Amino acid sequence: MKVSSSHGFVFMLLLWWASSQCSAVEMQAPTRPYEIPIEHRYAFEFARFLEKAGLTIEKIQGSHLAAMFENLHEAAFVTTNKGIVQVVFLAGEQDAEKIRVIAQTVYSQEPSAPYKYRIEGHPTVNQPEAMQAAEPLYFTTYKRWFIVATGCELDTLIKRACTQ
C-alpha cells in the first residue's frame, strides 16, 4: 500500500495533536488541599471532610453562628465550589445530634429573608434561636458538627460523606 504525501501529513498532524494533548494533561498541577488560616485551625478536620466529599475549599472565615450557643466561639464560614457551608463545632462528640431544626412559616414582613428556622434542643442554645434566610437552608448534624448548607447539591454531598 502506497501512502501519499497528503496522508503522511495528516498522520503527522494527528500524531502531533495527540502528543500535545498528553503534554497538556501531564502539565496540569494536582489540586492541593486548602491551606487553613491559623486562626481557624479548629476547622481543619471539617475542611478535610469537605475535600474528601469532593468539594474544593475556596475560603474559610469565622462565622456568626457560634453566637447562637452559650460558651462557644468556634464556627466557620466556608466558601466551596458548590456554595457556602457554615459549621458550629460543639464540645461533645455527639452534641450535634441533640439539635432540632424546625422550619417555620414564611415571614411576610421580611421579603428579603422569607425563610425562617428555629434551632432548639441543645442545652447550650441561647433560647430557641430563630434564623432567617433569603434562600432555603439545609441542615445536617454529624458528631460534634452542626452544619448549615446553602444548596441542595451541596447538602447532598455533605450527607453522603457523613454516611461513608
Side-chain angles (χ1 to χ4, degrees):
M1 178 171 133
K2 183 177 177 191
V3 177
S4 70
S5 63
S6 65
H7 285 105
F9 176 75
V10 170
F11 176 75
M12 292 300 289
L13 186 61
L14 284 172
L15 189 58
W16 171 83
W17 179 81
S19 67
S20 69
Q21 296 305 307
C22 292
S23 298
V25 170
E26 290 172 28
M27 295 172 81
Q28 291 176 352
T31 57
R32 294 179 4 172
Y34 176 81
E35 193 170 319
I36 299 168
I38 193 81
E39 65 271 19
H40 303 299
R41 65 182 165 267
Y42 57 83
F44 181 82
E45 182 184 359
F46 184 71
R48 295 304 166 250
F49 167 81
L50 293 177
E51 289 173 338
K52 190 175 177 185
L55 297 164
T56 301
I57 296 174
E58 297 169 358
K59 190 172 187 178
I60 296 179
Q61 307 172 89
S63 169
H64 69 280
L65 286 185
M68 291 177 26
F69 300 87
E70 291 177 16
N71 304 318
L72 287 180
H73 307 288
E74 295 180 343
F77 183 97
V78 183
T79 306
T80 75
N81 59 320
K82 299 288 185 185
I84 304 296
V85 179
Q86 293 190 67
V87 59
V88 177
F89 301 94
L90 301 167
E93 189 59 33
Q94 299 297 319
D95 277 0
E97 305 294 333
K98 300 172 187 170
I99 297 173
R100 287 186 313 277
V101 178
I102 299 151
Q104 297 184 316
T105 57
V106 175
Y107 234 28
S108 60
Q109 296 95 345
E110 290 290 335
S112 64
Y115 297 94
K116 187 175 178 182
Y117 305 91
R118 193 171 77 232
I119 313 300
E120 58 183 36
H122 190 272
T124 61
V125 171
N126 290 324
Q127 304 292 315
E129 191 71 31
M131 288 179 69
Q132 290 179 244
E135 60 188 336
L137 298 177
Y138 300 85
F139 299 89
T140 303
T141 56
Y142 181 66
K143 297 183 180 181
R144 60 184 220 101
W145 300 334
F146 175 61
I147 305 165
V148 183
T150 58
C152 185
E153 181 183 5
L154 179 57
D155 182 59
T156 300
L157 290 169
I158 290 169
K159 283 182 170 52
R160 187 177 302 141
C162 290
T163 62
Q164 294 177 353

